[in-house]
Amino acid sequence: MMSSTSSSSKREAPTPLGVLEFTSALNGEDPLQILQKLHQFVRVVEYERCLVVTGRSDGGDAIDTSVGDGNAVIGGADDDNNNENEEDDDVSYISFDDDEDDDVDNPSSSSTNKRQKLLQSTTSSTATATPKVKHSWKLDKNNYNVPFVGTSVTKGETGTINRNGTSWPTGFMEVYRRYSPLGVELNKNEFISALPSGGVHKLLCKDDDSGGDGGGVVTDNDDGNDESSGGGGGKRRRKKRGTTTTTTTKSNEGQQSRGKIISITLQTKYWTAVNEWILSFVPIDKLRSQLHWKQIDYYSSSSSTNNNNSKKCALPPQIMTVLIKERLPEWIDAIHKYTARQQYYTQVQQKERKEQRQRQKKQLQLKQQKMSKEEKAMEEKRLQEIEVKNERVQRRLMKQQSREQALLLSALYCLTSLCHLSNGTAREVLRRLSNGSSGGISTTVKDAIPSSAAVGHSGGGGGKFAGKGSPSGTADSGTEWMVQLFQQGNKSSPSTSIKPLVECVRLVCTLLETQDFIVLSRLTEVPSPGWATKRGGGKKDVGNFGIAQIALRYGIQRLLDIVRQSQSGNDDGDDERSVDDDIYAECIARLLRGVNFVILPSSETKNQNVKGGSSKKDNKGGFVLGMGATADLLSGEVLGSLSELSLLAPQFDPTLVSIQDIINGDDVYDDLDSIETAAVEARRILFALLADTRRSPFLRDSSSSFTAEKDDQFTAYLPQLSKSLHSLLSGQGHSVSLKMILGLCLRTTPEITPHFFRSLQLSDPKPNYRSLAALTFVEGVVRDISFPRVKALRDGKMPTTQQILSEIIPNCVTKTLLSKVLQSSCALLTSGGLKLIITLLRRARGVSFDDERGSNMKNSNNAEKDFLRSLQEAVMSHMPELTILLSIPSRFDPFETSSHSNTTIVMLQLCEAFQCYAQINSSLVANAKYDWVKFLPLEESPKRSFLSAEPLLQYRLLRTLHLVSKLDQISFSSKMLPSALSIMTSWSTATPEVYDAARELALSLLEQEIFPHSDNDFEAMSCRKYETSLWVDVISEETIEDLMTMIAEARQQSVQHKMTILQALSMAKLGYDSASSVSSLLSLSISYLMSDTEDSRVSFTKEFEVCLIQIATKMLLFQTNAKHFAALIVYSAGEHSPGDEKAAGLHQVAKALLDDSSDANTHLYALSSNIFHGECLLNCM
């Protein structure tokens, strides 16, 4: 990347210029004197302006001329050939075509040689080598030292610079404007202002007009006065016949005559001087705002512009008339002719490259041919001579391009200065630039493109041109000239200067900052489809694009090309070019800032419009140009370039506050270089376009109503917005800050989601950081997006399942990819895949229906259910098979004491995935042939136990098994219930959440075991749940085996036991009541406990007997009608009371309840005191 402003040279104060000295030189007829004084005028005034604009008040003799000074920003005459420390009468700013030979032979004498050639082109000499005749009357024999009559000896006032920083103009410009208020020497001097070849140029270009290639033609009339044979400005003396001698300087192919070189240089200096003169009428505050563009308050400027539309221009009307009617067409023509000339130079370079390839091919063939050494030497010498000659021609063409470029820059300087004067002047300048016509100046393209190999003088004159050199082949090329400037800049060699593009962007910025509606409309004009056909053009839709649209489209792309060259190391290391690139980047940043604060609305502006205080023209949601025009300006390639340029901006904090600061332009950075400055401005616009519904013309604002046409326009921009998001993704990678802005954009405009998902990419999973980062990033982005909403289409129909599915799952996430991820041996990669599956399934379950649905869906719950069912089936078809998920525990065992934390992460995600699968397709999980008890390993080796896993994982596993246990047609292993009871009753279970989860699982499993066939009666359901909770809470590690034995026994004796219950009820004369029934487990266990028949009794421990009595007592107390259960107890005991004291107490209570005896409470109190100790959990129930 280019360095920041690195040039810090000091500009010395130039030699003072007197006003009489300047005016007399411009009123004279000496081209050299005029050229020198114009050059000195430009240097003096430019120095004074920079001194005032930069605000220096220290009285120093030198000012800093770094990139950011007044000259660089406001547009001074900083041409390539101007050395700041040279003498004022030096002529190094003139570059002759044959200077390269002198520079190579003797660099120190190059300036002297140039002056000699300049004098040779403007003075008289003979055609022979004889010395010039010196007339005796010219000699000052008596040393009077008195000048001739009419010779100016007084320089006049030079002016004093006011260093308070508030007075402008100051110094010499103040004196000159006081001396000549209308600036007749600059504005109305027809001798200087005439276009080639007229006025002063007639003398310099005479030989070219007559068909020769020579320089100027001078005469000597033997009276000592050298006179030019040309004329143009003022009265000329008649030449004497027969006494005139001429001197012509022959030029090689492609070489301009010295006269024409001086002519184009003089015209350049003249236009630059006019530019400085125009700038003297511009207020100092406006000049400083061009320098400190980052501090411009566009909102206050807009209000002041609207309030001061009637403010008159400071330039007198007489001057303005001449500038608009005469100078402005010349400057416009100079631009068009320059673009035509650049096309010619491009063709010449292409031809030269082709010939060079042919020469190289011929040299290669020459080496392979059988020739004598002499013949080879002669052929090689001939090719070398051709190479040297071509290099010389190329250098001359480069110098000629440099001169023509300087003329173009001077024209652009003047146009920019005119735009500073008033909005009306800016409108006229923009109208001329956009129309492409040149106000009646009639020349042809032949003036711009030579028909032969010799390159003629482009000059600055000329008007309409058409033909091969014209972009469109017509006289009215519109703004195509600017497109060509940027395109030629991209195609040119690295040595091509970027200064014309800098001035073009500055001109656009100046026009943009006027904030005039008419100017803004023309600047941002984008032709509608079919524009060319409507205007009578061809089939191709190329219209008159506004120069702001061109500057945005091609200007940002040119800046990106500069960055690419710098990053690839293709730059030549030229410091001057690097400084120019920095200036260009600053201009692009200024352009983007203007677009952000002028074209796009601010929050304040939109709030005012909502309140109803704006006019009808402005009431378009705050958009100055309207939402459609703003969208056309910033869409397409401009939006793509903004995305690419914003990638070069510094990183921002991954918070929503930071993103909002960027959108509002409140983000602050330290030590930004020029490229980063432009990138920051691009990012501010881009984020506003992508995430701010109030400022973006591409997004829907909830407070605005949209018609069908606007809805179609909104839909048409969605692919462009998606492409912009992907551009950010490809440039920034998988950073957290990028994930934040993507999530914000997709939440703000969910309609972008299917377009974004369609182009999202994921490579084949590999166990490396890149794959893991990509997978995690995609999951994070998908998780941050709001759930899809099913909205009715315009015709009232329901969208298809595939349309909603495109908002749930990205196209890159396939079943094959997810299966590969889950089968990876990398724990983090497998965890990332599981997390992505969970996120996708949650999005599928989160689909909701919009309230504003069509009539076919409004009250149709069945239609909604069918739609969701089909959608979930489509989602599950993209998910891996459940067997792949069930194979994960075999590779990542969390129950080993030496297991890694990554294994725990995998199992945690696996539990979540199982739950999502069960919630969407329960039959898929219920029908899985898998022994779920593997998740509760307790009876294996001590090195592998459920209790050795992390408490969080224990909780997740138990919750997952509990969810699965609730599924229909699920069948668990007989080991699942004792495992759950063991976890619940183990002393190692110290986490309350784990205990609660184990208890919930045990309740679910036990209820299914002891109540396999249950009804939906509420009272019976309450009894079932209460009895199940009693069994779970009373059980201990010692009684788990007895419980499981009795469960198996109850399952085997179910038929016989039912007969026993019916007999007991019949004996007690009671009918069957399902609400008062207990489980077969409890009734069979009580019958065994009360029976005195040893053969039929299953042996169980004393602890289990106590548990049975406790549960039976609680159930007698809980049931509404306890006689049914009491009858079973009495019937099981037979005629004799049980031998055990506690069982006998239970028998007495049951018998008293059955007989309705008043002693029931007494027996119950005695029994309770005997069986319920202080630590029994049943005391709380």
Side-chain angles (χ1 to χ4, degrees), residues 735-761:
S735 62
V736 181
S737 57
L738 176 61
K739 186 174 74 68
M740 291 289 296
I741 184 62
L742 288 179
L744 177 61
C745 295
L746 296 176
R747 286 194 304 272
T748 303
T749 311
E751 292 83 357
I752 308 177
T753 303
H755 301 276
F756 180 75
F757 281 178
R758 191 176 300 120
S759 302
L760 199 59
Q761 299 293 330

Side-chain angles (χ1 to χ4, degrees), residues 1007 1015-1027 1075:
E1007 185 177 357
D1015 51 29
N1016 295 327
D1017 182 74
F1018 177 76
E1019 188 173 352
M1021 186 183 301
S1022 300
C1023 290
R1024 291 198 304 270
K1025 292 187 176 297
Y1026 185 72
E1027 181 185 346

Side-chain angles (χ1 to χ4, degrees), residues 608-620:
Q608 292 174 1
N609 292 334
V610 171
K611 292 178 182 179
S614 59
S615 63
K616 183 177 181 181
K617 181 180 71 173
D618 293 334
N619 193 11
K620 297 180 180 179

Side-chain angles (χ1 to χ4, degrees), residues 619-633:
N619 193 11
K620 297 180 180 179
F623 291 93
V624 177
L625 303 176
M627 186 178 295
T630 307
D632 292 339
L633 173 68

Side-chain angles (χ1 to χ4, degrees), residues 772 775 779 817-819 821-824 826-842 879-882 884-886 888-889 891-892 902-914 916-917:
L772 178 61
L775 195 66
E779 187 278 328
L817 183 138
L818 292 176
S819 300
V821 171
L822 297 187
Q823 292 172 353
S824 173
C826 177
L828 294 178
L829 189 62
T830 304
S831 175
L834 290 170
K835 197 173 182 181
L836 178 58
I837 291 174
I838 295 168
T839 301
L840 296 177
L841 295 179
R842 285 177 177 173
M879 296 295 106
E881 299 293 339
L882 186 62
I884 297 178
L885 275 71
L886 294 173
I888 292 177
R891 287 178 283 117
F892 304 98
N902 292 340
T903 302
T904 302
I905 296 176
V906 172
M907 293 303 298
L908 289 173
Q909 300 297 337
L910 181 61
C911 293
E912 293 290 334
F914 280 142
C916 292
Y917 268 67

